[in-house]
Amino acid sequence: MALVDRYLFRQLLPPFLWGMVAFSSIGVSAAVLFDLLRQVSEARLPIAIALSILTLQLPYFVSLAIPMSVLLACLLTLSRLQSDGELLALQSAGLHLNRLIGSCLVFSLLACLLMFGLTESLVPVSQAHSHHLLLQTLQAGQFSLQGQHIVYQDIGPNQELRRLFYAQTGQGQTLSGITVIDWTLPNNQQVLVAQSATWNAERNIWTFKDGSIYAVGTDGAEKHIIEFSKQELQLPPQLSLTDPDINPNGVTLAQSQQLLTKLRQTGRPTQIRALAIQIHRKIALPFTVIVFGLVGSTLGISQRRLAVSNGFGISLILVLGQYILIFIADAWGQLGIISPWFGAWAPNLVTGFIGVSLLLRPGNALRRLQKGLSYSNL
């Protein structure tokens, strides 16, 4: 590695590490921390369990922060070098500025490999451990239902609503004022009303007391009423933090392919397309690091010295635009308008095209610096 490459890497590393801490903290706070705090306060989830889940979620958000951190590092570093006149000095020494952009892309490639390694090794393991830890906590009864108007929707494997669960109040592991609407029986709809329900962790069931079951036909007429003093029903223990759908973040790329093969045997096209997009995105998302490296370096050269806050704001705007593209491409892919491959790679193609256009446009920063150098030599 040439001396100038090592110098540029040393300049890129501090803002990259700062961005990793900042963006990871924002992601964890927005997506996990507040929800866990709610579970600790409302459901009495043990603090030790909540901290363990939070720690296990960190690798996922660290991997997501890599593209944004590379964008911020390239933007701030080249902007500072341009403002300090170091880019002009390097060019006067015979170094073409495209070489610096190439060095930024090499740095981005290394970060891309780091992100791919995390998503294929540490992230699936930590996500799976987090999921199992939460399920074990719920099944062991290490929670406390607290509050009023508790509602839960029991969603089936085909995204159909199987049961609607409502409780007026909750105290400890006992609910009061229970109403359950059950659509699992063919041609019948059952409505269960009970005074109270208690969660039995050892048997993994709810025990309802002092209630009635109303059976209603498809025409709305009541068929029969059953009164009971005690009735057992297997239901989810409480409002769950987990997603009932397949989570590609909790498995490796090879395991995702196996899941897709099994899912294709079920004949569910919407879920198949969604998982296929997620599989392609597991490869496309690390390449976002390289695309952001190109955009950040070209924008950095064209800007005078940027404050960290300004660079952070520009990075957030660019990242927001990228995720809007991901959302649109994902929706089109699931609707079958575009192929799963194109749905996963389209955001990178669009952003990469913008980066190349900034690099090749007439009168860009590289040409302005070259023109300034020629004037200084006269």
Side-chain angles (χ1 to χ4, degrees), residues 1-13 77 81 90 95-107 110:
M1 182 181 292
L3 181 62
V4 66
D5 296 323
R6 292 197 296 270
Y7 172 74
L8 187 59
F9 274 38
R10 286 197 300 268
Q11 300 301 312
L12 288 169
L13 196 56
T77 300
L81 293 179
L90 290 172
L95 182 69
H96 199 282
L97 294 181
N98 283 332
R99 169 68 182 282
L100 294 180
I101 295 181
S103 298
C104 290
L105 292 180
V106 172
F107 182 86
L110 295 176

Side-chain angles (χ1 to χ4, degrees), residues 143-147 150 165 167-178 195-200 206-209 237:
F143 62 90
S144 175
L145 295 168
Q146 193 78 18
I150 300 171
F165 183 86
Q168 293 179 352
T169 59
Q171 184 68 36
Q173 295 183 34
T174 301
L175 300 177
S176 301
I178 309 297
Q195 293 286 339
S196 64
T198 303
W199 171 245
N200 189 323
W206 283 100
T207 301
F208 297 87
K209 296 182 179 180

Side-chain angles (χ1 to χ4, degrees), residues 8 11-12 15 72-84 86-87 90 97 100-102 104 293-306 369:
L8 187 59
Q11 300 301 312
L12 288 169
L72 179 66
C74 293
L75 185 63
L76 292 180
T77 300
L78 290 184
S79 172
R80 184 187 63 79
L81 293 179
Q82 198 263 13
S83 178
D84 292 346
E86 293 187 49
L87 296 184
L90 290 172
L97 294 181
L100 294 180
I101 295 181
C104 290
L294 175 62
V295 174
S297 56
T298 53
L299 284 178
I301 289 178
S302 63
Q303 300 289 329
R304 289 291 179 181
R305 180 188 291 268
L306 283 172
L369 287 174

Side-chain angles (χ1 to χ4, degrees), residues 199-216:
W199 171 245
N200 189 323
E202 294 181 357
R203 302 177 60 191
N204 197 31
I205 59 173
W206 283 100
T207 301
F208 297 87
K209 296 182 179 180
D210 299 327
S212 304
I213 298 177
Y214 303 86
V216 182

Side-chain angles (χ1 to χ4, degrees), residues 266-343:
T266 65
R268 291 183 284 172
T270 302
Q271 286 78 11
I272 291 173
R273 285 195 298 267
L275 183 57
I277 293 173
Q278 294 298 326
I279 291 174
H280 286 293
R281 184 162 294 136
K282 288 177 73 71
I283 303 175
L285 196 57
F287 279 90
T288 306
V289 180
I290 300 177
V291 173
F292 277 2
L294 175 62
V295 174
S297 56
T298 53
L299 284 178
I301 289 178
S302 63
Q303 300 289 329
R304 289 291 179 181
R305 180 188 291 268
L306 283 172
V308 174
S309 59
N310 292 336
F312 192 78
I314 294 175
S315 299
L316 285 179
I317 292 173
L318 293 174
V319 169
L320 178 62
Q322 178 78 0
Y323 277 97
I324 290 175
L325 291 175
I326 290 176
F327 175 80
I328 295 174
D330 185 81
W332 286 356
Q334 293 193 35
L335 291 174
I337 299 176
I338 56 179
S339 66
W341 178 90
F342 191 71

Side-chain angles (χ1 to χ4, degrees), residues 147-314:
Q148 297 181 347
H149 306 300
I150 300 171
V151 179
Y152 178 80
Q153 295 180 355
D154 183 14
I155 306 297
N158 295 322
Q159 301 303 303
E160 76 279 8
L161 180 61
R162 298 190 300 189
R163 297 184 183 98
L164 183 64
F165 183 86
Y166 170 78
Q168 293 179 352
T169 59
Q171 184 68 36
Q173 295 183 34
T174 301
L175 300 177
S176 301
I178 309 297
T179 301
V180 179
I181 304 176
D182 190 342
W183 291 277
T184 58
L185 298 178
N187 302 322
N188 276 315
Q189 173 181 305
Q190 286 190 347
V191 179
L192 183 151
V193 181
Q195 293 286 339
S196 64
T198 303
W199 171 245
N200 189 323
E202 294 181 357
R203 302 177 60 191
N204 197 31
I205 59 173
W206 283 100
T207 301
F208 297 87
K209 296 182 179 180
D210 299 327
S212 304
I213 298 177
Y214 303 86
V216 182
T218 55
D219 56 355
E222 290 186 3
K223 292 187 175 181
H224 56 269
I225 301 176
I226 301 176
E227 295 184 355
F228 62 87
S229 59
K230 182 179 179 180
Q231 179 74 24
E232 295 179 344
L233 182 63
Q234 187 170 5
L235 280 174
Q238 71 162 66
L239 297 178
S240 177
L241 296 175
T242 57
D243 190 349
D245 297 332
I246 297 173
N247 180 15
N249 298 319
V251 293
T252 63
L253 186 60
Q255 292 169 336
S256 298
Q257 293 285 359
Q258 295 175 359
L259 289 174
L260 181 61
T261 302
K262 294 179 180 179
L263 191 60
R264 281 173 174 161
Q265 298 174 358
T266 65
R268 291 183 284 172
T270 302
Q271 286 78 11
I272 291 173
R273 285 195 298 267
L275 183 57
I277 293 173
Q278 294 298 326
I279 291 174
H280 286 293
R281 184 162 294 136
K282 288 177 73 71
I283 303 175
L285 196 57
F287 279 90
T288 306
V289 180
I290 300 177
V291 173
F292 277 2
L294 175 62
V295 174
S297 56
T298 53
L299 284 178
I301 289 178
S302 63
Q303 300 289 329
R304 289 291 179 181
R305 180 188 291 268
L306 283 172
V308 174
S309 59
N310 292 336
F312 192 78
I314 294 175

